[in-house]
Amino acid sequence: RSKPAVQANHVRHEHRTAKVIELIGTSSKSFEDAVRAAIKDAAATTRGITGAQVEGWSVKCNEGKVTEYKASLKVVFGIERT
């Protein structure tokens, strides 16, 4: 098992392999809020999230008005070794 590298008061884990999950976050407020919601939900069940890549944006409309913002993203986290 590799040991974490310490740099200027930060601990960086030396992961050789990462896992990626695809999520769609939603919000009635904004695209940014949709991304934050997806990351928050993922963090509730997934440890070690290191980043995310937004793959796309979409909206739901009702009578020509935006009612929901959606963000499709890939969330990355390191595989834990035992």
Side-chain angles (χ1 to χ4, degrees):
R1 182 173 179 162
S2 64
K3 294 182 180 178
V6 178
Q7 294 179 342
N9 298 326
H10 292 83
V11 175
R12 188 181 83 233
H13 294 279
E14 297 294 331
H15 295 291
R16 296 181 304 221
T17 306
K19 177 131 180 142
V20 178
I21 55 175
E22 295 186 49
L23 303 172
I24 299 174
T26 61
S27 169
S28 60
K29 297 177 185 178
S30 68
F31 287 120
E32 183 177 342
D33 198 50
V35 171
R36 288 182 195 276
I39 297 293
K40 182 179 178 182
D41 287 346
T45 59
T46 305
R47 290 190 306 259
I49 294 174
T50 59
Q53 178 174 330
V54 176
E55 296 288 307
W57 310 101
S58 62
V59 294
K60 185 177 179 182
C61 297
N62 184 10
E63 296 186 19
K65 296 190 183 208
V66 175
T67 58
E68 185 174 62
Y69 298 86
K70 296 181 182 184
S72 301
L73 55 150
K74 292 184 178 179
V75 176
V76 180
F77 57 97
I79 294 175
E80 294 182 3
R81 304 211 187 310
T82 56

